[in-house]
Amino acid sequence: MPLTSAMNNGASSSRAANSHGNGIYTHDDDADELDLILGDDPPHKRTAGNGEDEDNDTTLLRDDPLQPDFSPPLTFKRKRTQPSLLPSPARLITSLFHTPAFTSRTSHDLPRPPPATSMPTHLNLKPLPSNPRDTDADDNAQPSRDWNAEGPGRRVGYANLTAIDWIFEYTKERQRQRALRARTLQSPLPLLGYVQRLLDASQVWVVLILTGLAVGVLAAGIDVATDWLGDVKYGFCSSGVDGGRFYLGRNACCLGYDEGVQCRGWRRWGAVVGVGEGVGQWVVEGAVYLGLAVTFALLAAVLVKEYAIYAKHSGIPELKTVLGGFVIRRFLGVWTLITKSLGLILAVASGMWLGKEGPLVHVACCCANLFTKLFPSINNNEARKREVLSAAAASGISVAFGSPIGGVLFSLEQLSYYFPDKTMWQSFVCAMTAAMVLQAFDPFRSGKLVLYQVTYSSSWHGFELVPFVILGILGGIYGGLFIKANMKVARWRKSTARLPGPVAQVVIVACLTALVNYPNRYMRSQNSDLVSNLFAECSRLLDDQFGLCKNGADSSGNIVLLMVAAMLSFCLAAITFGLQIPAGIILPSMAIGALTGRATGIIMEMWQHNHPKFIAFHSCEPDIPCITPGTYAIIGAAAALAGVTRMTVSIVVIMFELTGALTYVLPIMIAVMISKWVGDAFSRRGIYESWIHFNEYPFLDNSEETTPIPDIPAAQIMTRIEDLVVLTAAGHTIASLSSILESHPYRGFPVVSDPRDAILLGYISRAELAYTLYAATQPPRSLPPETEAYFAHQPLADPRTTLDLRPWMDQTPLTLPSRCRMHLAVTYFQKLGLRYVLFVDRGVLQGLLTKKDVWYVLNGAEETRRTSGMAGGGVRGGMADAGGMQTGMAREAGEGESAGLLRAVGLADEAEMVSPVVDRGSIL
């Protein structure tokens, strides 16, 4: 039978590979349990050669390093040396906040195997520090135990494009906290111990406050730079008039003037060239607008391509996947942060139909990931790190909309996979800090956090619920059609081989956008300026740049222009979102909805003005404006945003914080509710979930309504034992296990007693097995390749000349009966964040199911592969059961995983790409 590989960190093994196992081992539960670390006891070292001549069974069992009846209890934790105070800030902070470390070995701690065929060349293991003190090894420790044993689970850093072990990470943190409390109770100075615990608890808050400060500063800088570059397309501020400076934008240059036409310091490019009013000036200014727009877009695309490929798009689909437990290296690195910030400024300034709100969330998470490096207790625990990232994401929305509470709800509703109560409070503090810093900088010199923050002096009337409902329906239709159009464009780009490169595509779309935008006064300006004017109330608007407050025949012309702008913007946004530049979809969706809403508001205003005696308008007071078109723009923007993202509560709160009018919460809620219902009629997935599905990220949504679970037995989906590569308890050598690693690039191997009984003993991941084999063959042990290796207690084995692999094996993997329903298995993966589940019947291994298997089943990726011509063949093939159901349909070799997962978006070779700076100490 053909071997079927497992895609997700968990994977495979076959009885065919069990030729190395030649003995029968009787499983002993007591001998195979590994004690968790309960204190800070010194390492217990024991060898077989102890000078005692005891031949009874008690002596043999005492030679078992995992026998739990030792007194004192055995611990494999190596004695750590006290860190010295070095000039490095990280070392200084570590020394101040030092706590007992129960951290897993990360990838930069691993020895690099030689390129020879004795070890797999694709393990990407990195060398150990040359300084013995850096290894935290006890000089008197037994050489074979050069590792930390923290209970069952992973001890080697997670590989790229794999899932984390949530249960192990939280267990590791509980053990660390337990040891810290024990040290406090045993300390001769209890007060010092309590201070140390206080400092340890404050690490998260230090990271979040630093993140809030950094995000506020970056957001202010991005706002100012974007505003200036966007205005440069139209003109510049003259240095000789009214104290102006070239680096000032139009609003800052004309500060103090009620109308822009009165500003003398702002010089348009037509006046600079010397062309008079008329067609000549329009052509000259259009040429400058086109040239600068294309130049800005080109620079943004080149930055992303050359320095950080992960800086493209909004980053929210990838963030959702990372927060769900997936590892994407360099996605939150330093160069991604720099490239995302600079590229976002250039992309928004180009005038393309994209926004900076979504990318600001990515920027905020990059800042948080950077600050977590200061504290190893957070940086080395992937579960805690994701809690910090969930809290930091709120600060991105906080500075994007000036909405701290909306940012917290956005992180809870849209981004976070696991959001405990403490994370909500942490999100609140981080979002508040970022908003305070942005308010202190006041980038727009208006006292507003964002340019389109408005207030309304009038309330709404009951008859307006009808147009509000219509706007909700239009918002849902827009969202459904936009997602379908955007996905069609993305699939067309993916399947068409003759298209130009990513940078050329950006230049073409930028040129097309500039040519379409410039003739229409509503599309020509920046999206934030457009939304600000659409939201504005005419009675409070001093400078009507777009002529929105005109009456009579001009209002009819405005309606036509607004609707044309909305339709053209829809098309441009659909082809722009997905290009290789930083781009968000939140503000463009708001702008399109605001254009439609403002047009609807003008229609209602004209109707009420021309027919004041109509029965619906009896509630209007005479001589007082009855209808405010700006409120319709708010409702339309909220409806369009809900239709695209399928968010509800967070949108209502964001819009409320933008307007500050509690009276408009009910209309916004109605429009958002109807928009989501209509959008769900098109598809259950929002725009971010659609991109996750398109990129084939292994993200399991907790919501069952977006991912309906088939009512079938799990046995129809799992990879059966006949198609697995399993390891037996004994009968292996270092050479034979190395050969298995070379022959089968799977992410892990179940361990059974022997080929006939197949009693499950545990599971060992590829990373642990590869590291252990290589470390055993290096000094000081230098075991030969023919050394015996085993996964079960061998009473007669000499620990000095054999290799015991039990400490590296997960001896308590989560299991389910093979007859259980698919719903139960999926619930395990969703609620516990598992990477794999083993199926056993009365202790006998039946099969294996991985997280990516479940993802493919729930999202129909096999059908997508079949229709696109990519299914079948090679390692992607599956075994069909009698009912025709594909078993192991998501199986794929470990090496092919990254290619299959990310080749569609051009990230297959990202692991091989080298940025000028690499975050070597970071999983992310």
Side-chain angles (χ1 to χ4, degrees):
M1 291 184 179
L3 290 175
T4 303
S5 74
M7 272 195 70
N8 182 33
N9 327 332
S12 317
S13 312
S14 100
R15 287 194 179 187
N18 290 333
S19 58
H20 306 290
N22 50 19
I24 300 177
Y25 172 70
T26 303
H27 181 63
D28 187 353
D29 293 333
D30 294 335
D32 283 342
E33 293 180 356
L34 180 62
D35 289 342
L36 299 179
I37 299 175
L38 300 179
D40 195 23
D41 300 326
H44 181 80
K45 311 173 186 65
R46 186 176 184 87
T47 61
N50 52 12
E52 299 181 6
D53 188 14
E54 296 179 0
D55 297 327
N56 52 41
D57 295 338
T58 304
T59 304
L60 294 177
L61 288 177
R62 283 168 54 193
D63 289 333
D64 178 14
L66 299 182
Q67 176 65 23
D69 295 331
F70 274 120
S71 181
L74 175 68
T75 174
F76 294 105
K77 175 180 176 295
R78 292 172 294 170
K79 185 182 298 182
R80 299 182 62 87
T81 58
Q82 293 295 329
S84 58
L85 290 177
L86 299 178
S88 170
R91 288 292 184 90
L92 178 61
I93 295 177
T94 302
S95 64
L96 293 177
F97 293 87
H98 175 66
T99 56
F102 291 85
T103 59
S104 63
R105 184 183 296 275
T106 54
S107 59
H108 64 280
D109 294 326
L110 308 180
R112 183 181 298 277
T117 57
S118 59
M119 289 294 294
T121 59
H122 57 274
L123 295 178
N124 194 24
L125 302 178
K126 299 180 180 179
L128 285 168
S130 58
N131 187 355
R133 291 176 59 87
D134 292 340
T135 63
D136 294 331
D138 188 354
D139 295 336
N140 298 322
Q142 185 174 337
S144 63
R145 294 173 186 169
D146 186 22
W147 28 258
N148 285 327
E150 300 149 351
R154 176 180 292 270
R155 295 163 186 82
V156 177
Y158 297 102
N160 191 28
L161 305 178
T162 60
I164 69 171
D165 190 335
W166 288 88
I167 296 178
F168 172 73
E169 296 296 331
Y170 280 115
T171 301
K172 182 171 61 177
E173 176 61 17
R174 287 194 298 270
Q175 293 169 355
R176 191 185 70 85
Q177 293 290 343
R178 189 183 300 120
L180 183 60
R181 288 192 297 269
R183 173 172 291 189
T184 300
L185 296 175
Q186 298 172 4
S187 175
L189 298 175
L191 181 60
L192 182 61
Y194 285 111
V195 171
Q196 188 177 14
R197 289 180 60 185
L198 178 63
L199 294 177
D200 179 77
S202 67
Q203 293 179 5
V204 172
W205 299 105
V206 172
V207 171
L208 294 176
I209 291 176
L210 290 176
T211 300
L213 294 173
V215 172
V217 172
L218 283 174
I222 290 173
D223 287 338
V224 172
T226 301
D227 187 54
W228 178 69
L229 283 180
D231 289 339
V232 165
K233 299 200 304 289
Y234 312 103
F236 66 96
C237 187
S238 177
S239 301
V241 182
D242 295 337
R245 295 292 185 271
F246 179 80
Y247 54 80
L248 295 178
R250 187 180 180 209
N251 292 333
C253 185
C254 299
L255 193 64
Y257 290 95
D258 291 338
E259 297 183 7
V261 294
Q262 300 175 354
C263 181
R264 299 179 302 166
W266 183 257
R267 300 193 63 189
R268 299 173 60 178
W269 292 115
V272 173
V273 177
V275 180
E277 296 286 342
V279 177
Q281 185 182 31
W282 189 86
V283 172
V284 169
E285 293 180 353
V288 176
Y289 179 93
L290 174 64
L292 291 179
V294 173
T295 301
F296 294 155
L298 173 62
L299 292 176
V302 171
L303 276 175
V304 170
K305 182 178 182 297
E306 296 296 331
Y307 292 94
I309 192 67
Y310 286 126
K312 67 179 184 178
H313 301 177
S314 67
I316 290 183
E318 289 78 11
L319 271 177
K320 285 172 67 72
T321 308
V322 167
L323 295 180
F326 201 58
V327 175
I328 305 179
R329 292 188 183 275
R330 291 195 291 275
F331 174 69
L332 298 176
V334 175
W335 275 94
T336 302
L337 172 62
I338 296 173
T339 306
K340 191 87 171 187
S341 301
L342 296 179
L344 184 60
I345 294 172
L346 294 167
V348 174
S350 68
M352 300 176 70
W353 278 85
L354 48 85
K356 59 177 181 290
E357 284 69 23
L360 279 177
V361 178
H362 188 187
V363 169
C365 290
C366 288
C367 293
N369 182 65
L370 181 64
F371 290 122
T372 57
K373 298 178 188 297
L374 301 175
F375 304 102
S377 62
I378 301 176
N379 188 52
N380 294 334
N381 191 295
E382 294 301 311
R384 292 190 69 195
K385 182 186 292 186
R386 277 154 178 78
E387 291 181 4
V388 172
L389 295 178
S390 295
S395 63
I397 291 295
S398 175
V399 296
F401 290 103
S403 173
I405 304 300
V408 175
L409 294 177
F410 179 89
S411 178
L412 171 62
E413 184 178 4
Q414 181 62 248
L415 282 180
S416 300
Y417 187 85
Y418 176 65
F419 199 88
D421 294 339
K422 62 179 180 180
T423 305
M424 179 171 290
W425 171 231
Q426 294 168 357
S427 302
F428 177 80
V429 171
C430 189
M432 178 194 65
T433 304
M436 290 177 59
V437 173
L438 185 62
Q439 181 74 54
F441 277 95
D442 191 14
F444 302 108
R445 299 190 181 184
S446 61
K448 301 178 181 179
L449 289 176
V450 290
L451 191 61
Y452 40 87
Q453 192 171 2
V454 295
T455 56
Y456 297 113
S457 58
S458 60
S459 183
W460 56 281
H461 301 81
F463 69 86
E464 291 182 284
L465 285 177
V466 175
F468 292 159
V469 169
I470 294 175
L471 287 176
I473 296 173
L474 293 177
I477 294 174
Y478 156 75
L481 294 179
F482 179 84
I483 293 173
K484 288 184 176 296
N486 186 243
M487 289 296 100
K488 281 190 175 182
V489 171
R491 284 191 289 268
W492 176 72
R493 286 198 189 108
K494 177 182 176 181
S495 60
T496 305
R498 297 184 178 180
L499 285 178
V503 176
Q505 293 180 26
V506 171
V507 172
I508 293 172
V509 174
C511 183
L512 175 63
T513 302
L515 293 175
V516 173
N517 282 352
Y518 189 74
N520 191 314
R521 64 173 179 264
Y522 296 118
M523 303 176 64
R524 186 187 312 167
S525 63
Q526 297 293 108
N527 284 340
S528 57
D529 290 330
L530 174 62
V531 171
S532 176
N533 282 271
L534 292 173
F535 286 177
E537 188 177 0
C538 286
S539 61
R540 297 189 175 187
L541 190 63
L542 298 178
D543 187 8
D544 186 12
Q545 301 178 11
F546 299 97
L548 291 169
C549 297
K550 295 179 181 179
N551 298 320
D554 291 335
S555 296
S556 302
N558 283 338
I559 294 173
V560 175
L561 284 177
L562 288 169
M563 296 307 297
V564 170
M567 289 186 289
L568 292 176
S569 303
F570 173 90
C571 299
L572 292 175
I575 64 175
T576 301
F577 189 68
L579 292 175
Q580 194 166 291
I581 52 175
I585 195 57
I586 294 179
L587 189 57
S589 296
M590 290 178 61
I592 295 171
L595 287 167
T596 306
R598 187 78 185 205
T600 305
I602 294 175
I603 292 174
M604 292 296 298
E605 185 182 37
M606 293 175 60
W607 187 14
Q608 190 274 334
H609 179 76
N610 295 329
H611 302 86
K613 302 300 184 181
F614 186 67
I615 187 172
F617 304 137
H618 285 336
S619 59
C620 297
E621 300 181 9
D623 301 329
I624 295 178
C626 181
I627 294 174
T628 305
T631 61
Y632 287 76
I634 285 279
I635 304 296
L641 188 56
V644 169
T645 63
R646 308 298 162 80
M647 295 187 299
T648 53
V649 179
S650 55
I651 292 179
V652 174
V653 174
I654 287 172
M655 291 300 172
F656 163 66
E657 291 185 271
L658 279 178
T659 60
L662 186 61
T663 55
Y664 285 95
V665 170
L666 182 58
I668 294 173
M669 291 177 66
I670 293 174
V672 167
M673 175 189 67
I674 294 176
S675 176
K676 178 173 172 55
W677 284 346
V678 175
D680 286 343
F682 285 87
S683 173
R684 292 287 185 178
R685 297 190 186 99
I687 185 64
Y688 301 129
E689 291 77 17
S690 298
W691 273 95
I692 289 175
H693 178 74
F694 176 78
N695 291 335
E696 299 183 16
Y697 294 143
F699 176 77
L700 295 180
D701 200 331
N702 284 324
S703 176
E704 292 186 5
E705 63 179 37
T706 57
T707 54
I709 302 174
D711 187 18
I712 57 176
Q716 294 186 13
I717 303 300
M718 72 179 184
T719 301
R720 302 182 186 277
I721 186 173
E722 294 84 1
D723 305 317
L724 291 175
V725 177
V726 300
L727 302 177
T728 52
H732 303 286
T733 63
I734 293 180
S736 66
L737 290 176
S738 299
S739 176
I740 292 176
L741 289 176
E742 290 181 351
S743 304
H744 308 289
Y746 305 143
R747 295 298 175 89
F749 306 91
V751 180
V752 298
S753 57
D754 64 72
R756 290 171 295 179
D757 295 337
I759 301 297
L760 179 66
L761 302 182
Y763 178 92
I764 186 168
S765 72
R766 180 184 188 84
E768 267 72 46
L769 182 58
Y771 170 76
T772 310
L773 295 179
Y774 178 71
T777 59
Q778 302 303 306
R781 296 203 71 185
S782 301
L783 296 176
E786 60 273 10
T787 300
E788 179 185 357
Y790 51 86
F791 295 92
H793 176 47
Q794 303 296 313
L796 302 179
D798 186 352
R800 294 171 299 181
T801 59
T802 58
L803 181 59
D804 188 355
L805 295 170
R806 283 177 296 164
W808 295 93
M809 179 179 67
D810 183 0
Q811 302 181 54
T812 58
L814 286 177
T815 60
L816 286 173
S818 61
R819 63 182 178 275
C820 74
R821 307 301 292 180
M822 187 64 182
H823 188 279
L824 178 60
V826 173
T827 302
Y828 265 52
F829 283 99
Q830 290 177 333
K831 306 303 181 184
L832 300 180
L834 302 182
R835 298 157 51 236
Y836 59 88
V837 167
L838 297 170
F839 293 90
V840 298
D841 289 337
R842 297 184 179 181
V844 179
L845 178 65
Q846 301 296 322
L848 176 143
L849 189 65
T850 68
K851 183 177 181 179
K852 290 180 185 173
D853 294 339
V854 174
W855 185 90
Y856 278 119
V857 171
L858 298 185
N859 292 273
E862 184 68 15
E863 180 65 25
T864 301
R865 292 176 184 273
R866 189 181 299 111
T867 56
S868 60
M870 293 187 295
V875 295
R876 296 183 188 270
M879 296 297 299
D881 64 3
M885 173 67 69
Q886 290 286 332
T887 60
M889 61 180 60
R891 292 294 177 234
E892 190 169 340
E895 285 183 330
E897 177 181 343
S898 60
L901 183 68
L902 298 176
R903 188 174 300 281
V905 290
L907 301 182
D909 299 327
E910 170 63 12
E912 307 299 328
M913 298 175 61
V914 179
S915 293
V917 175
V918 178
D919 301 326
R920 297 188 181 276
S922 173
I923 291 298
L924 299 175

